[in-house]
Amino acid sequence: MLTVTRNKMQLIHLICQDIISHKEDFKQHKILLTGSDSLLVEIDRGVIIKRHDMRTTREEGDTMLVQQVAWVTAKKVLVVAADMDIVVLLLHF
């Protein structure tokens, strides 16, 4: 099922919309969402912000993630990924 790109895109869209609809649950943490839109969506203390400064083109997902982590100004960033390419890229940058 998830080998079909269209199914993956629909699932990602549903997950992002669900997280956005529960924005009040993120009162103590900041979350950045990358969905089908070229703009990142930031939820910070329950407020939704479209991040025009983090606009991205559709590139390889691994490099997009690392690029977006590099732009974050927080002291700590948690990246959850099972892909070794992401780990290597994060260590490099």
Coordinates of all heavy atoms in Angstrom, one line a residue:
M1 N 0.8 -1.2 0.0 CA 0.0 0.0 0.0 C 0.9 1.3 0.0 O 0.6 2.2 -0.8 CB -0.9 0.0 1.2 CG -1.7 1.3 1.4 SD -2.9 1.1 2.8 CE -3.0 2.8 3.2
L2 N 1.9 1.3 0.9 CA 2.7 2.5 1.0 C 3.8 2.6 -0.1 O 4.6 3.5 -0.1 CB 3.2 2.7 2.4 CG 2.2 3.1 3.4 CD1 2.8 3.3 4.8 CD2 1.5 4.4 3.0
T3 N 3.9 1.6 -0.9 CA 4.8 1.6 -2.0 C 4.3 2.5 -3.2 O 5.0 2.9 -4.0 CB 5.1 0.2 -2.6 OG1 3.9 -0.4 -3.0 CG2 5.8 -0.6 -1.5
V4 N 3.0 2.9 -3.1 CA 2.4 3.8 -4.1 C 2.6 5.2 -3.6 O 2.1 5.6 -2.5 CB 0.9 3.4 -4.3 CG1 0.3 4.4 -5.3 CG2 0.8 2.0 -4.7
T5 N 3.2 6.0 -4.4 CA 3.5 7.4 -4.0 C 2.3 8.2 -3.6 O 2.2 8.9 -2.6 CB 4.3 8.1 -5.1 OG1 5.5 7.4 -5.4 CG2 4.6 9.6 -4.7
R6 N 1.2 8.0 -4.4 CA 0.0 8.7 -4.1 C -0.6 8.4 -2.7 O -1.1 9.2 -2.0 CB -1.1 8.4 -5.2 CG -2.4 9.1 -5.0 CD -3.2 9.0 -6.3 NE -4.5 9.6 -6.0 CZ -5.7 9.0 -6.0 NH1 -5.7 7.7 -6.2 NH2 -6.8 9.7 -5.7
N7 N -0.5 7.1 -2.3 CA -1.0 6.7 -1.0 C -0.1 7.3 0.1 O -0.7 7.8 1.1 CB -0.9 5.2 -0.9 CG -1.9 4.5 -1.7 OD1 -2.9 5.1 -2.3 ND2 -1.8 3.2 -1.9
K8 N 1.2 7.4 -0.1 CA 2.1 8.0 0.9 C 1.7 9.5 1.0 O 1.6 10.0 2.2 CB 3.5 7.9 0.5 CG 4.1 6.6 0.6 CD 5.6 6.7 0.2 CE 6.1 5.3 -0.2 NZ 7.5 5.4 -0.7
M9 N 1.5 10.2 -0.1 CA 1.2 11.6 0.0 C -0.2 11.8 0.7 O -0.3 12.8 1.5 CB 1.1 12.2 -1.5 CG 2.5 12.2 -2.1 SD 2.4 12.7 -3.8 CE 1.7 14.3 -3.7
Q10 N -1.2 11.0 0.4 CA -2.4 11.1 1.1 C -2.3 10.9 2.6 O -2.9 11.6 3.4 CB -3.5 10.1 0.6 CG -4.0 10.5 -0.8 CD -4.9 9.5 -1.4 OE1 -4.9 8.3 -1.0 NE2 -5.8 9.9 -2.3
L11 N -1.5 9.9 3.0 CA -1.3 9.6 4.4 C -0.6 10.8 5.1 O -0.9 11.2 6.2 CB -0.5 8.3 4.6 CG -0.2 7.9 6.0 CD1 -1.5 7.7 6.8 CD2 0.7 6.6 6.1
I12 N 0.5 11.3 4.5 CA 1.2 12.4 5.1 C 0.3 13.6 5.2 O 0.3 14.3 6.2 CB 2.4 12.8 4.2 CG1 3.5 11.7 4.3 CG2 3.0 14.2 4.6 CD1 4.6 11.8 3.3
H13 N -0.6 13.9 4.2 CA -1.5 15.0 4.3 C -2.5 14.8 5.5 O -2.8 15.7 6.2 CB -2.3 15.1 3.0 CG -3.3 16.2 3.0 ND1 -3.0 17.5 2.9 CD2 -4.7 16.1 3.1 CE1 -4.1 18.2 3.0 NE2 -5.2 17.4 3.1
L14 N -3.0 13.6 5.6 CA -3.9 13.3 6.7 C -3.3 13.5 8.1 O -3.9 14.1 9.0 CB -4.5 11.9 6.6 CG -5.5 11.6 5.5 CD1 -5.8 10.1 5.4 CD2 -6.8 12.4 5.7
I15 N -2.0 13.0 8.2 CA -1.3 13.2 9.5 C -1.1 14.6 9.8 O -1.3 15.1 10.9 CB 0.0 12.4 9.4 CG1 -0.3 10.9 9.4 CG2 0.9 12.8 10.6 CD1 0.9 10.0 9.1
C16 N -0.6 15.4 8.8 CA -0.4 16.8 9.0 C -1.7 17.6 9.4 O -1.7 18.4 10.3 CB 0.2 17.5 7.7 SG 1.9 17.0 7.4
Q17 N -2.8 17.3 8.7 CA -4.1 17.9 9.0 C -4.5 17.6 10.4 O -5.1 18.4 11.1 CB -5.1 17.5 8.0 CG -4.9 18.1 6.6 CD -4.7 19.6 6.7 OE1 -5.5 20.3 7.2 NE2 -3.6 20.1 6.1
D18 N -4.3 16.3 10.8 CA -4.7 15.9 12.2 C -3.9 16.6 13.2 O -4.4 17.1 14.2 CB -4.5 14.4 12.4 CG -5.0 13.9 13.7 OD1 -6.3 14.1 14.0 OD2 -4.2 13.4 14.5
I19 N -2.6 16.8 13.0 CA -1.7 17.5 13.9 C -2.1 19.0 14.0 O -2.2 19.5 15.1 CB -0.2 17.3 13.5 CG1 0.2 15.9 13.8 CG2 0.7 18.3 14.3 CD1 1.6 15.6 13.2
I20 N -2.4 19.5 12.9 CA -2.8 21.0 12.8 C -4.1 21.1 13.6 O -4.3 22.1 14.3 CB -2.9 21.5 11.4 CG1 -1.5 21.6 10.8 CG2 -3.7 22.8 11.3 CD1 -1.5 21.9 9.3
S21 N -5.0 20.2 13.4 CA -6.3 20.3 14.1 C -6.2 20.1 15.6 O -7.1 20.5 16.4 CB -7.3 19.3 13.6 OG -7.0 18.0 14.0
H22 N -5.1 19.6 16.1 CA -4.8 19.5 17.5 C -3.7 20.4 18.0 O -3.0 20.1 18.9 CB -4.4 18.0 17.9 CG -5.6 17.0 17.7 ND1 -5.8 16.4 16.5 CD2 -6.5 16.7 18.5 CE1 -6.8 15.6 16.6 NE2 -7.3 15.8 17.9
K23 N -3.7 21.6 17.4 CA -2.6 22.5 17.7 C -2.5 22.9 19.1 O -1.5 23.2 19.7 CB -2.8 23.8 16.8 CG -4.0 24.6 17.1 CD -4.2 25.7 16.2 CE -5.5 26.5 16.6 NZ -5.8 27.5 15.7
E24 N -3.7 22.9 19.8 CA -3.7 23.3 21.2 C -2.9 22.3 22.1 O -2.5 22.6 23.2 CB -5.1 23.3 21.8 CG -6.0 24.4 21.1 CD -6.6 23.9 19.8 OE1 -6.7 22.6 19.5 OE2 -6.9 24.7 18.9
D25 N -2.6 21.1 21.6 CA -1.9 20.1 22.3 C -0.4 20.4 22.4 O 0.4 19.8 23.1 CB -2.1 18.7 21.7 CG -3.5 18.2 21.9 OD1 -4.3 18.8 22.7 OD2 -3.9 17.3 21.1
F26 N 0.1 21.4 21.6 CA 1.5 21.8 21.5 C 1.7 23.1 22.2 O 2.3 24.0 21.7 CB 1.9 21.8 20.1 CG 1.7 20.5 19.3 CD1 0.6 20.3 18.6 CD2 2.7 19.5 19.5 CE1 0.4 19.1 17.9 CE2 2.5 18.3 18.8 CZ 1.4 18.1 18.1
K27 N 1.4 23.1 23.5 CA 1.6 24.4 24.3 C 3.0 24.5 24.8 O 3.4 25.6 25.1 CB 0.6 24.4 25.5 CG -0.9 24.5 25.1 CD -1.1 25.9 24.5 CE -2.6 26.0 24.3 NZ -3.0 27.3 23.6
Q28 N 3.7 23.4 25.0 CA 5.1 23.5 25.5 C 6.2 23.2 24.5 O 7.3 23.4 24.8 CB 5.2 22.5 26.7 CG 4.3 22.9 27.9 CD 4.5 21.9 29.0 OE1 5.1 20.9 28.8 NE2 3.9 22.2 30.1
H29 N 5.8 22.8 23.3 CA 6.8 22.4 22.3 C 6.5 23.1 21.0 O 5.3 23.5 20.8 CB 6.8 20.9 22.1 CG 7.2 20.2 23.4 ND1 8.5 20.1 23.9 CD2 6.4 19.5 24.3 CE1 8.4 19.4 25.0 NE2 7.2 19.0 25.3
K30 N 7.5 23.2 20.2 CA 7.3 23.7 18.8 C 7.4 22.5 17.9 O 8.2 21.6 18.1 CB 8.4 24.7 18.5 CG 8.3 25.4 17.2 CD 9.5 26.2 16.9 CE 9.5 27.4 17.9 NZ 10.5 28.4 17.5
I31 N 6.6 22.5 16.9 CA 6.6 21.4 15.9 C 6.6 22.0 14.5 O 5.9 23.0 14.3 CB 5.4 20.4 16.1 CG1 5.6 19.2 15.1 CG2 4.1 21.1 15.9 CD1 4.7 18.1 15.5
L32 N 7.4 21.5 13.6 CA 7.5 21.9 12.2 C 7.0 20.8 11.4 O 7.5 19.6 11.5 CB 8.9 22.3 11.8 CG 9.5 23.4 12.6 CD1 11.0 23.5 12.3 CD2 8.8 24.7 12.4
L33 N 6.0 21.1 10.5 CA 5.5 20.1 9.6 C 5.8 20.3 8.2 O 5.7 21.5 7.7 CB 3.9 20.1 9.7 CG 3.3 19.8 11.1 CD1 1.8 20.0 11.1 CD2 3.6 18.4 11.5
T34 N 6.2 19.3 7.5 CA 6.5 19.4 6.0 C 5.5 18.5 5.4 O 5.5 17.3 5.6 CB 7.9 18.9 5.7 OG1 8.8 19.7 6.4 CG2 8.1 19.1 4.2
G35 N 4.6 19.1 4.6 CA 3.5 18.3 3.9 C 3.7 18.5 2.4 O 4.8 18.7 1.9
S36 N 2.5 18.5 1.7 CA 2.6 18.7 0.3 C 2.8 20.1 -0.1 O 3.1 20.4 -1.3 CB 1.2 18.2 -0.3 OG 0.2 18.9 0.3
D37 N 2.6 21.1 0.8 CA 2.8 22.5 0.5 C 4.3 22.8 0.5 O 5.1 22.2 1.2 CB 2.1 23.3 1.5 CG 2.0 24.8 1.2 OD1 2.5 25.2 0.0 OD2 1.5 25.6 2.0
S38 N 4.7 23.8 -0.3 CA 6.1 24.2 -0.3 C 6.5 24.9 0.9 O 7.7 25.1 1.2 CB 6.5 25.0 -1.6 OG 5.8 26.2 -1.5
L39 N 5.6 25.4 1.7 CA 5.8 26.1 3.0 C 5.8 25.1 4.2 O 4.9 24.3 4.2 CB 4.8 27.2 3.2 CG 4.8 28.4 2.3 CD1 3.7 29.4 2.6 CD2 6.2 29.1 2.3
L40 N 6.7 25.3 5.0 CA 6.6 24.6 6.3 C 5.5 25.2 7.2 O 5.3 26.4 7.1 CB 8.0 24.7 7.0 CG 8.6 23.5 7.6 CD1 9.2 22.7 6.6 CD2 9.6 23.9 8.6
V41 N 4.9 24.4 8.0 CA 3.9 24.9 9.0 C 4.6 24.7 10.3 O 5.0 23.6 10.7 CB 2.6 24.1 8.9 CG1 1.7 24.5 10.0 CG2 1.9 24.3 7.5
E42 N 4.6 25.8 11.1 CA 5.2 25.7 12.5 C 4.0 25.9 13.4 O 3.1 26.7 13.2 CB 6.2 26.8 12.7 CG 6.7 26.9 14.1 CD 7.7 28.1 14.2 OE1 8.3 28.4 13.2 OE2 7.8 28.6 15.3
I43 N 4.0 25.0 14.4 CA 3.0 25.2 15.5 C 3.8 25.5 16.7 O 4.7 24.7 17.2 CB 2.2 23.9 15.7 CG1 1.4 23.5 14.5 CG2 1.2 24.1 16.9 CD1 0.6 22.2 14.6
D44 N 3.6 26.7 17.3 CA 4.4 27.2 18.4 C 3.4 27.7 19.5 O 2.7 28.7 19.2 CB 5.3 28.2 18.0 CG 6.3 28.7 19.1 OD1 6.3 28.0 20.2 OD2 7.0 29.6 18.9
R45 N 3.3 27.0 20.6 CA 2.4 27.4 21.7 C 0.9 27.5 21.2 O 0.2 28.4 21.5 CB 2.8 28.6 22.4 CG 4.1 28.4 23.2 CD 4.6 29.7 23.6 NE 5.7 30.1 22.7 CZ 6.5 31.0 22.8 NH1 6.5 31.8 23.9 NH2 7.4 31.3 21.9
G46 N 0.5 26.5 20.3 CA -0.8 26.5 19.8 C -1.1 27.4 18.7 O -2.3 27.5 18.2
V47 N -0.1 28.2 18.2 CA -0.3 29.1 17.1 C 0.3 28.5 15.8 O 1.4 28.1 15.8 CB 0.4 30.5 17.4 CG1 0.3 31.4 16.2 CG2 -0.2 31.1 18.7
I48 N -0.5 28.6 14.7 CA 0.0 28.1 13.4 C 0.7 29.2 12.7 O 0.1 30.3 12.5 CB -1.1 27.5 12.6 CG1 -1.7 26.3 13.4 CG2 -0.7 27.1 11.2 CD1 -2.9 25.7 12.7
I49 N 1.9 29.0 12.2 CA 2.7 30.0 11.4 C 3.1 29.3 10.1 O 3.8 28.2 10.2 CB 3.9 30.4 12.2 CG1 3.5 31.0 13.6 CG2 4.7 31.5 11.5 CD1 4.6 31.0 14.6
K50 N 2.8 29.9 9.0 CA 3.4 29.5 7.7 C 4.8 30.1 7.6 O 5.0 31.3 7.6 CB 2.5 30.0 6.6 CG 1.2 29.3 6.5 CD 1.3 28.1 5.7 CE -0.1 27.5 5.4 NZ -0.1 26.5 4.4
R51 N 5.8 29.2 7.5 CA 7.2 29.7 7.5 C 7.7 30.0 6.0 O 8.2 29.1 5.4 CB 8.1 28.6 8.1 CG 7.8 28.4 9.6 CD 8.2 29.6 10.4 NE 9.6 30.0 10.2 CZ 10.6 29.6 11.0 NH1 10.4 28.8 12.0 NH2 11.8 29.9 10.7
H52 N 7.5 31.2 5.6 CA 7.9 31.6 4.3 C 9.4 31.6 4.1 O 9.9 31.3 3.0 CB 7.4 33.0 3.9 CG 5.9 33.0 3.8 ND1 5.2 32.7 2.6 CD2 4.9 33.3 4.7 CE1 3.9 32.8 2.8 NE2 3.7 33.1 4.1
D53 N 10.1 31.8 5.2 CA 11.6 31.7 5.2 C 12.1 30.3 5.1 O 13.3 30.1 4.8 CB 12.1 32.4 6.5 CG 11.7 31.6 7.8 OD1 10.6 31.2 7.8 OD2 12.5 31.5 8.7
M54 N 11.3 29.3 5.2 CA 11.7 27.9 5.1 C 11.1 27.3 3.9 O 11.0 26.1 3.8 CB 11.5 27.2 6.3 CG 12.3 27.7 7.5 SD 12.0 26.8 9.0 CE 13.0 25.3 8.8
R55 N 10.7 28.1 2.9 CA 10.1 27.5 1.7 C 11.0 26.6 1.0 O 12.2 26.8 1.0 CB 9.7 28.7 0.7 CG 9.1 28.2 -0.6 CD 8.8 29.3 -1.5 NE 7.9 30.3 -1.0 CZ 6.6 30.2 -1.1 NH1 6.0 29.2 -1.7 NH2 5.8 31.1 -0.5
T56 N 10.5 25.5 0.5 CA 11.4 24.5 -0.1 C 10.8 24.0 -1.5 O 9.6 24.1 -1.7 CB 11.6 23.3 0.8 OG1 12.5 22.4 0.3 CG2 10.3 22.6 1.1
T57 N 11.7 23.6 -2.3 CA 11.3 22.9 -3.5 C 11.2 21.4 -3.2 O 11.8 20.9 -2.2 CB 12.3 23.2 -4.7 OG1 13.6 22.7 -4.3 CG2 12.4 24.7 -5.0
R58 N 10.6 20.7 -4.1 CA 10.5 19.3 -3.9 C 11.8 18.6 -4.3 O 12.1 18.4 -5.4 CB 9.3 18.7 -4.7 CG 8.0 19.2 -4.2 CD 7.7 18.5 -2.8 NE 6.7 19.4 -2.1 CZ 6.8 19.7 -0.9 NH1 7.8 19.2 -0.1 NH2 6.0 20.4 -0.3
E59 N 12.6 18.3 -3.3 CA 13.9 17.6 -3.5 C 13.8 16.3 -2.8 O 12.8 15.9 -2.3 CB 15.0 18.5 -2.9 CG 15.2 19.8 -3.6 CD 16.3 20.6 -2.9 OE1 17.1 20.0 -2.1 OE2 16.4 21.8 -3.1
E60 N 14.9 15.6 -2.7 CA 15.0 14.4 -1.9 C 14.6 14.7 -0.5 O 15.1 15.7 0.1 CB 16.4 13.9 -2.0 CG 16.8 12.8 -1.1 CD 16.1 11.5 -1.5 OE1 15.8 11.2 -2.6 OE2 15.9 10.7 -0.5
G61 N 13.8 13.9 0.1 CA 13.3 14.1 1.4 C 14.4 14.2 2.5 O 14.3 15.0 3.4
D62 N 15.4 13.4 2.3 CA 16.5 13.4 3.3 C 17.2 14.8 3.3 O 17.5 15.3 4.4 CB 17.6 12.4 2.9 CG 17.1 10.9 3.0 OD1 15.9 10.7 3.4 OD2 17.8 10.0 2.6
T63 N 17.5 15.3 2.2 CA 18.2 16.6 2.2 C 17.3 17.8 2.6 O 17.7 18.7 3.2 CB 18.8 16.9 0.8 OG1 17.7 16.9 -0.2 CG2 19.8 16.0 0.4
M64 N 16.0 17.6 2.3 CA 15.0 18.6 2.8 C 15.0 18.7 4.3 O 15.0 19.7 4.9 CB 13.6 18.3 2.3 CG 13.1 19.1 1.2 SD 11.5 18.7 0.5 CE 10.6 18.1 1.9
L65 N 14.9 17.5 4.9 CA 14.9 17.4 6.4 C 16.1 18.0 7.0 O 16.0 18.8 7.9 CB 14.7 16.0 6.8 CG 14.5 15.8 8.3 CD1 13.5 14.7 8.5 CD2 15.8 15.5 9.0
V66 N 17.3 17.7 6.5 CA 18.5 18.2 7.0 C 18.6 19.7 6.8 O 19.0 20.5 7.7 CB 19.8 17.5 6.4 CG1 21.1 18.2 6.8 CG2 19.8 16.0 6.8
Q67 N 18.2 20.2 5.7 CA 18.2 21.7 5.4 C 17.3 22.4 6.4 O 17.6 23.4 7.0 CB 17.6 21.9 4.0 CG 17.5 23.4 3.7 CD 16.7 23.6 2.3 OE1 15.9 22.7 1.9 NE2 17.0 24.7 1.7
Q68 N 16.1 21.8 6.7 CA 15.2 22.4 7.6 C 15.7 22.4 9.1 O 15.5 23.4 9.8 CB 13.8 21.8 7.5 CG 13.2 22.1 6.2 CD 12.0 21.3 5.8 OE1 11.6 20.4 6.5 NE2 11.4 21.6 4.7
V69 N 16.4 21.3 9.4 CA 17.0 21.3 10.8 C 18.1 22.3 10.9 O 18.2 23.0 12.0 CB 17.5 19.8 11.1 CG1 18.4 19.8 12.3 CG2 16.4 18.8 11.2
A70 N 18.8 22.5 9.8 CA 19.9 23.5 9.9 C 19.3 24.9 10.1 O 20.0 25.8 10.7 CB 20.7 23.5 8.6
W71 N 18.1 25.2 9.7 CA 17.5 26.5 9.8 C 16.9 26.8 11.2 O 16.6 27.9 11.6 CB 16.4 26.7 8.8 CG 16.9 27.0 7.4 CD1 18.2 27.5 7.1 CD2 16.2 26.8 6.2 NE1 18.3 27.6 5.7 CE2 17.1 27.2 5.1 CE3 14.9 26.4 5.9 CZ2 16.7 27.1 3.8 CZ3 14.6 26.3 4.6 CH2 15.4 26.7 3.6
V72 N 16.7 25.7 12.0 CA 16.1 25.9 13.3 C 17.0 26.5 14.2 O 18.2 26.2 14.3 CB 15.6 24.5 13.8 CG1 15.1 24.6 15.2 CG2 14.6 23.9 12.9
T73 N 16.6 27.5 15.0 CA 17.4 28.2 15.9 C 17.4 27.7 17.4 O 18.0 28.2 18.2 CB 17.1 29.7 15.9 OG1 15.7 29.8 16.3 CG2 17.3 30.3 14.6
A74 N 16.6 26.6 17.6 CA 16.5 26.1 19.0 C 17.8 25.4 19.4 O 18.6 25.0 18.5 CB 15.4 25.0 19.0
K75 N 18.1 25.4 20.7 CA 19.3 24.7 21.2 C 19.3 23.2 21.0 O 20.3 22.6 20.8 CB 19.5 25.1 22.7 CG 19.8 26.5 22.9 CD 20.0 26.8 24.4 CE 20.3 28.2 24.6 NZ 20.5 28.6 26.0
K76 N 18.1 22.6 21.1 CA 17.9 21.2 20.9 C 16.9 20.9 19.8 O 15.9 21.6 19.7 CB 17.5 20.5 22.2 CG 18.5 20.5 23.3 CD 17.9 19.7 24.5 CE 18.9 19.6 25.6 NZ 18.3 18.8 26.7
V77 N 17.3 20.0 19.0 CA 16.3 19.5 17.9 C 16.3 18.0 17.9 O 17.4 17.4 18.0 CB 16.8 20.0 16.5 CG1 15.9 19.5 15.4 CG2 16.9 21.5 16.5
L78 N 15.1 17.5 18.0 CA 14.9 16.0 18.0 C 14.5 15.6 16.6 O 13.5 16.1 16.1 CB 13.9 15.6 19.0 CG 13.5 14.1 19.0 CD1 14.7 13.2 19.4 CD2 12.3 13.9 19.9
V79 N 15.3 14.7 15.9 CA 14.9 14.2 14.6 C 14.7 12.7 14.8 O 15.5 12.0 15.3 CB 16.0 14.4 13.6 CG1 15.7 13.8 12.3 CG2 16.3 15.9 13.4
V80 N 13.5 12.2 14.4 CA 13.2 10.8 14.5 C 13.2 10.3 13.1 O 12.4 10.7 12.3 CB 11.8 10.6 15.2 CG1 11.5 9.1 15.2 CG2 11.7 11.2 16.6
A81 N 14.1 9.4 12.8 CA 14.2 8.8 11.5 C 14.9 7.5 11.6 O 15.8 7.3 12.4 CB 15.1 9.8 10.6
A82 N 14.5 6.6 10.7 CA 15.1 5.2 10.7 C 16.1 5.1 9.5 O 16.7 4.1 9.3 CB 14.0 4.2 10.5
D83 N 16.2 6.2 8.8 CA 17.1 6.2 7.6 C 18.5 6.6 7.9 O 18.7 7.7 8.4 CB 16.5 7.2 6.5 CG 17.1 7.1 5.2 OD1 18.2 6.5 5.1 OD2 16.4 7.5 4.2
M84 N 19.4 5.8 7.6 CA 20.9 6.0 7.9 C 21.4 7.2 7.1 O 22.3 7.9 7.6 CB 21.7 4.8 7.7 CG 23.1 4.9 8.1 SD 23.3 5.5 9.8 CE 23.7 4.0 10.6
D85 N 20.8 7.5 5.9 CA 21.3 8.6 5.2 C 21.1 9.9 5.9 O 21.9 10.8 5.9 CB 20.5 8.7 3.8 CG 20.8 7.6 2.9 OD1 21.8 6.8 3.2 OD2 20.1 7.4 1.9
I86 N 19.9 10.0 6.6 CA 19.6 11.2 7.4 C 20.6 11.4 8.6 O 21.1 12.5 8.8 CB 18.2 11.2 8.0 CG1 17.2 11.3 6.8 CG2 17.9 12.3 9.0 CD1 15.8 11.1 7.2
V87 N 21.0 10.3 9.2 CA 21.9 10.3 10.3 C 23.3 10.8 9.8 O 23.9 11.7 10.4 CB 22.1 8.9 11.0 CG1 23.2 8.9 12.0 CG2 20.8 8.5 11.6
V88 N 23.7 10.3 8.7 CA 25.0 10.7 8.1 C 25.0 12.1 7.7 O 25.9 12.9 8.0 CB 25.4 9.8 6.9 CG1 26.6 10.3 6.2 CG2 25.6 8.3 7.4
L89 N 23.9 12.6 7.1 CA 23.8 14.0 6.7 C 23.8 14.9 7.9 O 24.5 16.0 7.9 CB 22.6 14.2 5.8 CG 22.7 13.7 4.4 CD1 21.3 13.7 3.8 CD2 23.6 14.5 3.6
L90 N 23.1 14.5 8.9 CA 23.0 15.4 10.1 C 24.4 15.4 10.8 O 24.8 16.5 11.3 CB 22.0 14.8 11.1 CG 20.5 15.1 10.7 CD1 19.6 14.3 11.6 CD2 20.2 16.6 10.7
L91 N 25.1 14.3 10.9 CA 26.4 14.3 11.4 C 27.4 15.2 10.6 O 28.2 15.9 11.2 CB 27.0 12.9 11.5 CG 26.4 12.0 12.6 CD1 26.9 10.6 12.4 CD2 26.7 12.5 14.0
H92 N 27.2 15.2 9.3 CA 28.1 16.0 8.5 C 27.8 17.5 8.7 O 28.8 18.3 8.8 CB 27.9 15.7 7.0 CG 28.6 16.6 6.1 ND1 29.9 16.5 5.9 CD2 28.2 17.6 5.3 CE1 30.4 17.4 5.0 NE2 29.3 18.1 4.6
F93 N 26.6 17.9 8.8 CA 26.3 19.3 9.0 C 26.2 19.7 10.4 O 26.1 20.8 10.8 CB 25.0 19.7 8.2 CG 25.2 19.6 6.7 CD1 24.7 18.6 6.0 CD2 25.8 20.6 6.1 CE1 24.9 18.5 4.6 CE2 26.0 20.6 4.7 CZ 25.5 19.5 4.0

